[in-house]
Every structure is written in structure tokens, then in C-alpha cells.
Amino acid sequence: MSKLLSAGQIEKYKSDGFVYPVDVMSREDAQRYLQQLEAAEAVQGKLLVKGSNFKPHLLFKWADELAHHPKILDAVEDLIGPDIRLLSSTVFPKKPGDGTFVDWHQDGTYFALQPDDLQVAAWVALSAAPIDSGCMEMALGSHKLGQLSHAEVSSDKHMLSLGQTVNSPFRKDNTEFMPLEPGQMSLHHTHTIHRSAPNTTSFRRVGVTLTYVPAHVAVRASVKPSAALVRGTDSWHHFQDEPRPQIEFGEKEREFQQYANSLFRAIYDEERPRYQRAKT
């Protein structure tokens, strides 16, 4: 018996590679998280954008709380089971009119997971995310293609760290937008090809992506990455444990976040030749 998702929602995820909208919190709670995110930006003295937006759950209690949100985890458990690791968290804000975008890509390209098809991403809307704000656009059923090769596109406007972009053929004429209201989330499969356009509204669109894997998933890299155990137990120990933040943006919190990021960069560097055919 599922905990949050309906049978129809689970079937859509399996058939299309994504499901939305999933109600996880009130608009008021979403606004509270957004205010805490903005306060965190003030503490850092910079916006949580490309270059400073990865693994905020290691730095800030609000992000850690969001990653452990019971309804989010209930939905994730419906898809991947009760023993859950948080592999990553990323803040994705888009200012109105700044032209930032994400090109067609698959999330797990450089994560080196074995098996590589159990990762699920929850995109939680802290602001409204209508189509004209640059919500995600998904290629229906594309998760069934498996992992595809990617190029790296050099652009300050591309919001992904390496500008990763699918350079294998797939259908671009069979897609679906995923607009969300504050407090709703979408869920998508690691192999689902997706993108998002620039924000043409008058407000800042803000969402947080939380990437989860079953605790039994292994990593084929030469380094052992870190991941937080957020539900259940882990008898496989493929990941280093991540501490929950005790002090907002504290010194120990910053040190561990930098260490965790260095592990992911090392894995990325190992994996990039596996999925690249060209650089642009």
C-alpha cells in the first residue's frame, strides 16, 4: 500500500518518467522556506545560484528540514522503497529576465550509480512556477532510453555546473510542461530528459531539487561519496554519512560541505569521458 502517491500517479511515473503536481505542504509553509532561503543568501552574502547552490542541506537547517520532509519522503518511498539516501540538494532560482536556462539533460549522467536507474528527483516549488517562469519541460517516456551521451556547453546562462546537454537523438515533439504552485512538487526519473526555459515573468522563480536513491545503490567511482540517510536503515554502507547542520552556515558545516562537493567533483571528472562524444 502506498503512503502518499495514488496508483495513477505511480503508473504515470513509470510510464512517462515523471509525475506532478504532488501536494506536500501549504503555501504558507512554502513561503516560510523561501524566506529562510533568502535569509541564508543574506548570511552568505551571495545568491544561491550556480557555483554556490549545491548541497545547502549541509549548511542550513531549513534545507535539511526540507530534505527530511515526511510527505516528500513518503512519495519517494512509494517509488524506491523505505531505505533512502539523499544524494544531493540543489537550489534552482531564476531571476525574471536574466536569461538563465537549463538545456535538455538527464540528471544522473555523472553520478556513477550502480544500478543507474533508481535515482528520483523531487523538485519542490517554493514560489509559483508557471510555464512562463521557466518550469520544467519533460520528454515523455524518455527514461526508457537509458543513459545517453552528453556534451558540455559553455554558457554563463546554463544553470548546470558543466552545461551538460544531451547530444544523442530523442523525440523533442512529445513533451509536457510541469507548472507548479508553491508547496507542490514534481518527481522525475534520473533518465527522463528535461529542460527549462528562461523566466519571462516579473518575479523570481525558486525551487529546490532533492535527489534520492535507495540505500543499496552503489557507486563505481574510485572515491566514496557522501549522502545523508534520511529514512530507514543502511546495511550496505556505499556512502559516507553526512552530518545534519547544528549551526547555520557554521565553520564545521562549511568545511564538510566543501569536502562533500570535492567528492562529487572527483566522481564527475572520472565519469565525464564515459558520456561525452563532443564538447561545444
Side-chain angles (χ1 to χ4, degrees):
M1 183 176 178
S2 61
K3 288 196 167 184
L4 182 67
L5 300 179
S6 68
Q9 288 175 314
I10 294 173
E11 179 55 34
K12 179 171 174 58
Y13 180 87
K14 290 179 179 178
S15 63
D16 293 344
F18 60 92
V19 62
Y20 77 100
V22 179
D23 295 326
V24 292
M25 69 185 77
S26 67
R27 296 179 70 95
E28 292 74 21
D29 282 346
Q31 178 64 24
R32 176 174 60 85
Y33 280 117
L34 180 58
Q35 290 171 345
Q36 290 175 310
L37 183 154
E38 292 169 342
E41 291 178 322
V43 169
Q44 282 196 130
K46 57 184 176 182
L47 298 178
L48 289 167
V49 294
K50 182 178 177 178
S52 61
N53 62 341
F54 191 61
K55 292 212 173 205
H57 70 277
L58 297 176
L59 298 174
F60 304 108
K61 292 182 180 180
W62 67 265
D64 172 74
E65 179 184 304
L66 186 64
H68 287 80
H69 194 287
K71 282 195 173 182
I72 294 174
L73 293 181
D74 282 349
V76 172
E77 181 174 338
D78 287 340
L79 298 175
I80 63 173
D83 301 317
I84 303 171
R85 286 271 186 182
L86 174 72
L87 189 64
S88 67
S89 62
T90 311
V91 177
F92 280 111
K94 286 183 183 177
K95 285 184 177 180
D98 70 356
T100 54
F101 69 97
V102 178
D103 211 340
W104 292 113
H105 72 284
Q106 296 169 306
D107 285 349
T109 305
Y110 302 132
F111 284 171
L113 300 175
Q114 292 182 312
D116 68 353
D117 60 350
L118 297 178
Q119 174 189 330
V120 57
W123 200 97
V124 185
L126 302 187
S127 73
I131 291 175
D132 55 356
S133 74
C135 74
M136 285 191 289
E137 181 184 4
M138 317 300 283
L140 280 90
S142 56
H143 63 304
K144 297 173 184 176
L145 298 173
Q147 180 63 56
L148 302 179
S149 66
H150 283 59
E152 294 175 11
V153 178
S154 179
S155 170
D156 291 338
K157 299 298 184 181
H158 198 309
M159 297 178 73
L160 299 185
S161 59
L162 299 176
Q164 50 262 47
T165 302
V166 170
N167 64 350
S168 297
F170 68 96
R171 285 191 62 182
K172 299 179 182 179
D173 61 345
N174 186 28
T175 68
E176 186 172 336
F177 289 100
M178 294 201 302
L180 297 171
E181 294 295 327
Q184 294 181 329
M185 74 172 177
S186 61
L187 297 161
H188 66 268
H189 188 283
T190 186
H191 288 156
T192 303
I193 303 170
H194 58 289
R195 67 175 177 178
S196 65
N199 181 3
T200 60
T201 70
S202 60
F203 63 89
R204 187 186 187 208
R205 188 224 68 176
V206 182
V208 178
T209 297
L210 303 166
T211 298
Y212 299 98
V213 293
H216 66 79
V217 167
V219 178
R220 62 170 168 257
S222 62
V223 299
K224 186 177 183 178
S226 65
L229 183 64
V230 293
R231 177 168 285 187
T233 60
D234 183 353
S235 58
W236 300 272
H237 308 295
H238 296 309
F239 299 91
Q240 299 183 50
D241 289 323
E242 292 182 341
R244 302 185 72 167
Q246 302 301 307
I247 299 174
E248 296 290 330
F249 203 58
E251 182 178 353
K252 289 183 178 180
E253 285 76 6
R254 295 196 303 273
E255 287 177 356
F256 191 89
Q257 190 238 15
Q258 291 171 4
Y259 169 67
N261 287 355
S262 72
L263 297 174
F264 267 89
R265 285 195 297 270
I267 293 172
Y268 273 32
D269 287 342
E270 286 187 22
E271 287 295 297
R272 288 162 73 184
R274 187 185 299 270
Y275 296 122
Q276 286 179 238
R277 289 180 183 165
K279 285 192 176 184
T280 301

